[in-house]
Amino acid sequence: MGLIVCAAIALMSAAANACTRLIYETGNKTFLVARSMDWMEDPKTDLWAFPKGMKRDGGLGTGSITWTAKYGSVVASFYGVATVDGMNDAGLVANTLYLGESDYGDAKASGKPLISVGAWTQYALDNFATVDQAVDALSKEPFAIVAPALPDGNAAGGHLSLADATGDSAIFEYLNGKLMIHHSPKYTVMTNSPTFDEQLAISAYWKNIDGLSFLPGTINSPDRFVRISWSLNAAPKEKDERLAVATTFSLIRSISVPLGLSEAGKPNIAGTIWRSVSDISAKRYYFESAYSPSIFWVDIYKLKLAAGDKPSHLDLNGHPIYSGDVSGKFLPAEPFKFLSN
């Protein structure tokens, strides 16, 4: 057995993580971004509408970075302390997935303004319209990330993916205290461990295998990366908007994990709690809870996202059954506070 094959198998057996993100291109050369949120318990996700003009900070008190939101956004929260998913009114989509290898370095020793890992995704949505803009600005490392433990006691480590209306894509990972950026429209799939460069190496090996005859089948992260990459390339590029959304949902469902599945001692391998699809062209954010039998969506154009508007939120506590357009159901609310010590 060759060295590459051995390495691929070793990585697949060693990695056990959750969540998947993909970018689907339609026949009209527009793009939809889907992600699954896999976790060992319900992370109490709500949807929020944050207007442009909001005064923000990194959530860590004195020394935190501050900014004013240039763009409005609809986002999904995580335990009420982090933004982990969403799209802004310029069409930038952000998805943060768990990454056990994350190491943000010694933030206090950096001498830079601080930002909670819970605010990282929101910072991108508030400040950038395109992936190029984000890569240019974030590569200068304007802040140092602090990652306190999550409310459930688990480590808060993740990598951030961005996509825009052109299909451009970038993935940001902090490894051994250093920022790694993978920037290319070719990067249409992201899962979790191992790190993205190693995922690409595994995927390159599997490109030589006939996917109609055999694909790796476990719920481990590298296997999911390979399977969804093959499915994404095989899926037809639909021109009809409804079919395009349906195809994107079918892809992310196909790689999801059964609800309730968990493994003792591995909090990051678990069932799919919810899925989202961001239709960048239509500026529509779709959401599907594994606890509910239907899909609902938010039209960004219908939200109050102008400067001076108040933040609002859609309470998903208790898993209410929503269907169709819920843009009018958002109610004014004080924004959640980002994860802190």
Side-chain angles (χ1 to χ4, degrees):
M1 190 177 290
L3 180 60
I4 294 178
V5 178
C6 290
I9 292 174
L11 283 168
M12 284 186 286
S13 63
N17 297 292
C19 299
T20 304
R21 169 263 202 183
L22 63 91
I23 303 173
Y24 170 78
E25 181 180 355
T26 74
N28 303 313
K29 296 192 180 301
T30 59
F31 299 89
L32 294 91
V33 183
R35 73 85 51 85
S36 62
M37 168 56 74
D38 301 355
W39 203 245
M40 75 279 190
E41 65 179 15
D42 179 10
K44 301 177 176 61
T45 292
D46 290 329
L47 298 190
W48 293 80
F50 292 136
K52 63 187 68 177
M54 282 186 66
K55 302 293 184 181
R56 292 284 204 176
D57 65 65
L60 297 167
T62 303
S64 294
I65 191 171
T66 61
W67 70 92
T68 300
K70 299 176 183 177
Y71 305 99
S73 60
V74 57
V75 308
S77 60
F78 191 71
Y79 285 112
V81 295
T83 296
V84 292
D85 199 70
M87 175 169 54
N88 70 20
D89 54 7
L92 184 75
V93 177
N95 317 98
T96 297
L97 278 61
Y98 190 87
L99 180 66
E101 292 88 344
S102 294
D103 177 359
Y104 303 102
D106 188 340
K108 293 183 179 179
S110 72
K112 296 180 179 180
L114 305 178
I115 189 170
S116 166
V117 69
W120 188 20
T121 311
Q122 192 65 54
Y123 183 92
L125 290 171
D126 286 350
N127 285 285
F128 310 118
T130 68
V131 171
D132 267 341
Q133 289 178 5
V135 169
D136 181 62
L138 295 179
S139 64
K140 298 179 175 65
E141 299 190 59
F143 49 69
I145 295 178
V146 177
L150 290 167
D152 68 350
N154 285 298
H159 48 179
L160 170 66
S161 64
L162 300 178
D164 64 25
T166 70
D168 200 6
S169 174
I171 293 161
F172 302 79
E173 297 179 339
Y174 280 85
L175 306 173
N176 299 315
K178 295 182 179 180
L179 174 62
M180 308 297 294
I181 302 176
H182 304 272
H183 181 198
S184 171
K186 296 185 298 182
Y187 299 146
T188 56
V189 171
M190 183 175 84
T191 53
N192 311 96
S193 297
T195 56
F196 191 70
D197 58 340
E198 293 180 351
Q199 289 186 15
L200 292 177
I202 295 169
S203 182
Y205 163 74
W206 280 98
K207 285 181 179 178
N208 298 317
I209 306 300
D210 178 9
L212 290 173
S213 300
F214 179 74
L215 285 171
T218 78
I219 61 173
N220 287 340
S221 176
D223 285 13
R224 286 184 287 108
F225 189 99
V226 171
R227 286 205 313 282
I228 198 61
S229 295
W230 185 90
S231 297
L232 184 61
N233 289 329
K237 295 183 178 181
E238 301 290 355
K239 290 187 176 182
D240 179 82
E241 180 181 333
R242 183 174 175 180
L243 282 177
V245 172
T247 299
T248 308
F249 262 111
S250 73
L251 287 164
I252 198 63
R253 287 173 182 147
S254 75
I255 207 67
S256 295
V257 180
L259 183 64
L261 187 150
S262 63
E263 184 173 345
K266 295 181 179 179
N268 51 344
I269 182 168
T272 298
I273 305 298
W274 52 261
R275 291 169 282 264
S276 71
V277 170
S278 298
D279 186 334
I280 299 177
S281 177
K283 299 292 196 301
R284 187 171 294 132
Y285 182 79
Y286 293 87
F287 193 87
E288 180 182 48
S289 169
Y291 294 98
S292 298
S294 56
I295 296 171
F296 58 89
W297 61 84
V298 180
D299 279 323
I300 284 184
Y301 296 121
K302 295 180 181 179
L303 297 174
K304 295 180 179 180
L305 299 179
D309 285 335
K310 300 295 184 182
S312 59
H313 109 299
L314 183 69
D315 188 351
L316 301 181
N317 182 51
H319 310 295
I321 299 176
Y322 289 123
S323 181
D325 186 358
V326 299
S327 309
K329 296 183 180 295
F330 280 66
L331 298 176
E334 287 296 314
F336 59 84
K337 295 182 179 180
F338 296 120
L339 182 66
S340 62
N341 291 316

